[in-house]
Amino acid sequence: MVFQLFIIVSILILLIISISKWKMHPFMALLLAGILLGLCLGFGGQKTIEVLLNGFSQTIQWIAIVVILGALIGEILEKTGGSIRISEKIIKIVGTKRLPWAMGVTGYLISIPVFVDVAYILFHPIVEALSKKGKTPVLVIGLSLAAGLTASHTLMPPTPGPLAVASLLDVDLGRLIFINSLVAIFSVIGGILFAKLHCKKFLLPFDNHLLQQRREKENHKELSSSGGNVLLDLLPILVPIVLMALGSFIEIDDSIFGSILVFLSTPMIAVLFGVAISLFNYKKSNFNKLVEAAIVKSALVIMITGAGGAFGAIIRESGVQESLASYFAMATFLGFILPFLLAAILTTATGSITVSLISTASILGGMSNVMPYSPEIMAALIGCGSFCVFHANSSFFWLLNRLHKVSVNVLYKTFTIQSLVMGLFGLIGVMILYFSGVN
C-alpha cells in the first residue's frame, strides 16, 4: 500500500508540474499521466489502456451531449439577451453583495435532483452574466454556486451517494435528512465565505474578457432593454431541472406513464427540451451556426473532463482505496472522526464523492453499533469527509478549468482549498449537533 500511494502521489505531483510549469496541455498531461500510472502500478500495457478508455468513456457517455446542449442554451440566451435579463432580475432581488449567497442557495436546491456537472453547465451562462452585471469575479460567483451544488450532492438523498450510505448504514431516512440538512448549511456557509473572502483576489484572464464585454455593452443599447420576458428566459434552465427532479422524487413503475417519465427525466432529453423552449425566444435563421459554436466550445471541455475521468479510473483500479480503508478501519484509536478521515482520504485518492461515500459506509457499516454516536451522525461524518479534497483527479476540477479558463495553480488555491474548508465546516456542524444532544 505504501508503495502504491508513493507512486500515485509522485505522478500527481508530476501531473501538476507538467501543466503549470512545463505548460503541457491538460489533455495530453492527463492522458500520459494515466498511462504512466497504470504501467508503474503493474497493470501492464493492455490493461492500462483498457482501464483508461473505460474511464474516459464512462465519464463522457452521459455528459458529452448534455454539455453541448447546455452550451447551446447558453449561446441562445446570450444572443437573445436572456442571460443579461436573468442576471439583472437576480441582482435587483438580492443585491450585488448577496449574489454569492443567492447562488449558493440556488446550487443547494437544484443539485438535490440534478447531477453537479449538469447543473453547473446549465447555470454557466448565468454565472458569467452575473459576473458582468454584478462586477464580481467569476470565481466568486462560480464557486459559490459550486458550494451549494456539492453540498446537496454529497449529503442529501435522493442523490445516489447519500442514498447508498443510508441503505448501507441502515439509518432512519427522516433523521438523516434532518441532520444532513443542518450540516449542509454549515458546509455551504464555509464554502461561500471562502469564495467571498479569498477568491475575490483571483482575477482571471476570463474576468478581463468579461470586463471588456461589459464596457462594450455600456457603450451600446443593452439587450435587456428589448423588454423580453424573464420567465421565458428562465424556462430553458428550469424545465430540464424539473424533469430530472421528477425522475428522482417520483416512484417509477413499469407502466406506460413510468416509461415516459424515465425517458423525459433522462438528462439528455431533459436538456433537449430546454433547447426547444429557448428557441421560442430566438426567431433568427442562423440556428445551425449556434449549434456549431456550441460544439466547438464544448469539445475541449468534454475531452479534458473525459481525460480527468480516465486518470481517476486508473487510481480507482489500483485498489488503493481498499487498502487505505482497511488500515483506517483498524485504527479505532481515531475514535470520533474515523468516518470523516476515511472518507476524506478516499475522496483525495479517487476524486469521486460517490466512491468515497459508498466505500466508507461499506467498510464502517459493521462498526455502527459500537461507535459513540448514531448511524445518522456517522453518515453525516462520512458526508463531510467526502468533500475533502477535490483536485486533478476530479472531473469537475477540469470542467471549471475549461469553462472559465482557470489555470491549474489557481484551481488548487481556490477550488481545492474550498472543498477542504467545506468539509471542516461540516465537521464543526456535526460536532455542534452531537454535543448539543442530537444523536
Side-chain angles (χ1 to χ4, degrees):
M1 182 192 75
V2 175
F3 180 66
Q4 275 187 328
L5 200 56
F6 173 76
I7 290 174
I8 291 171
V9 171
S10 299
I11 292 179
L12 273 172
I13 293 171
L14 184 62
L15 173 65
I16 296 165
I17 292 173
S18 66
I19 295 172
S20 59
K21 191 172 182 62
W22 300 338
K23 306 301 180 186
M24 184 181 289
H25 194 280
F27 179 79
M28 291 303 300
L30 285 163
L31 190 63
L32 294 175
I35 294 172
L36 180 61
L37 180 58
L39 295 175
C40 290
L41 290 173
F43 288 0
Q46 184 176 351
K47 183 178 179 181
T48 296
I49 299 304
E50 286 177 358
V51 173
L52 203 70
L53 292 178
N54 285 336
F56 184 88
S57 61
Q58 288 173 9
T59 301
I60 70 168
Q61 68 178 352
W62 65 272
I63 197 176
I65 296 175
V66 172
V67 169
I68 293 171
L69 295 176
L72 179 56
I73 292 174
E75 289 289 312
I76 295 172
L77 286 176
E78 183 179 349
K79 294 296 181 183
T80 60
S83 56
I84 299 293
R85 286 190 289 271
I86 293 169
S87 64
E88 286 180 337
K89 192 69 173 179
I90 293 173
I91 291 171
K92 184 177 179 180
I93 294 172
V94 304
T96 303
K97 291 184 178 180
R98 290 188 289 273
L99 271 180
W101 298 104
M103 295 307 289
V105 172
T106 300
Y108 176 77
L109 293 175
I110 65 174
S111 189
I112 293 174
V114 183
F115 283 110
V116 173
D117 304 62
V118 177
Y120 198 91
I121 289 161
L122 285 172
F123 273 80
H124 174 227
I126 307 305
V127 169
E128 292 185 6
L130 286 171
S131 178
K132 291 180 191 177
K133 299 297 293 184
K135 300 180 181 180
T136 306
V138 169
L139 276 180
V140 174
I141 304 295
L143 290 185
S144 296
L145 175 63
L149 292 173
T150 51
S152 52
H153 179 76
T154 306
L155 291 166
M156 298 304 298
T159 310
L163 204 58
V165 171
S167 175
L168 289 166
L169 298 183
D170 193 25
V171 305
D172 182 295
L173 196 57
R175 289 193 78 239
L176 174 69
I177 291 173
F178 170 72
I179 290 171
N180 277 12
S181 296
L182 297 176
V183 172
I185 291 172
F186 279 88
S187 293
V188 174
I189 288 173
I192 294 174
L193 283 176
F194 179 83
K196 279 173 61 72
L197 301 176
H198 178 71
C199 298
K200 63 182 180 182
K201 65 183 180 183
F202 290 94
L203 290 177
L204 312 173
F206 202 57
D207 282 299
N208 295 329
H209 171 66
L210 294 178
L211 179 61
Q212 181 62 33
Q213 284 187 334
R214 186 163 63 233
R215 286 171 179 167
E216 289 174 359
K217 288 188 180 298
E218 285 172 354
N219 294 327
H220 298 82
K221 187 177 180 180
E222 288 283 356
L223 284 169
S224 59
S225 63
S226 60
N229 191 312
V230 176
L231 178 59
L232 288 179
D233 295 328
L234 279 169
L235 284 179
I237 298 170
L238 297 180
V239 168
I241 290 170
V242 171
L243 288 174
M244 287 183 273
L246 289 175
S248 297
F249 288 116
I250 296 179
E251 187 174 344
I252 298 174
D253 53 30
D254 294 328
S255 64
I256 295 176
F257 174 76
S259 300
I260 294 172
L261 190 57
V262 168
F263 176 73
L264 293 179
S265 63
T266 304
M268 183 184 77
I269 300 301
V271 180
L272 194 57
F273 266 92
V275 172
I277 294 168
S278 68
L279 290 175
F280 281 106
N281 277 350
Y282 190 75
K283 308 299 182 183
K284 297 181 181 179
S285 59
N286 61 341
F287 175 68
N288 287 344
K289 290 184 178 179
L290 294 185
V291 175
E292 290 180 6
I295 293 172
V296 170
K297 287 184 177 180
S298 302
L300 199 56
V301 175
I302 293 167
M303 291 298 102
I304 293 177
T305 303
F311 180 69
I314 294 286
I315 295 176
R316 289 190 289 275
E317 186 67 21
S318 71
V320 68
Q321 63 268 29
E322 283 84 6
S323 300
L324 288 168
S326 299
Y327 172 77
F328 277 92
M330 294 185 292
T332 53
F333 62 89
L334 293 172
F336 186 90
I337 62 170
L338 175 60
F340 175 87
L341 287 177
L342 180 55
I345 289 169
L346 293 181
T347 294
T348 305
T350 65
S352 171
I353 292 173
T354 304
V355 168
S356 175
L357 289 169
I358 294 173
S359 298
T360 307
S362 299
I363 299 285
L364 300 181
M367 300 171 60
S368 60
N369 60 339
V370 298
M371 287 294 193
Y373 38 67
S374 66
E376 290 80 19
I377 291 291
M378 177 185 278
L381 287 167
I382 292 172
C384 294
S386 296
F387 285 118
C388 315
V389 293
F390 305 132
H391 56 97
N393 59 353
S394 164
S395 60
F396 193 70
F397 182 96
W398 297 106
L399 193 71
L400 291 172
N401 169 260
R402 300 323 302 175
L403 286 178
H404 298 311
K405 311 297 187 293
V406 195
S407 71
V408 171
N409 283 342
V410 170
L411 278 173
Y412 268 93
K413 294 174 184 176
T414 54
F415 178 57
T416 297
I417 299 177
Q418 183 198 43
S419 65
L420 176 60
V421 169
M422 289 181 66
L424 293 175
F425 265 71
L427 177 60
I428 291 170
V430 176
M431 295 178 74
I432 289 173
L433 289 173
Y434 176 74
F435 290 112
S436 299
V438 178
N439 192 9

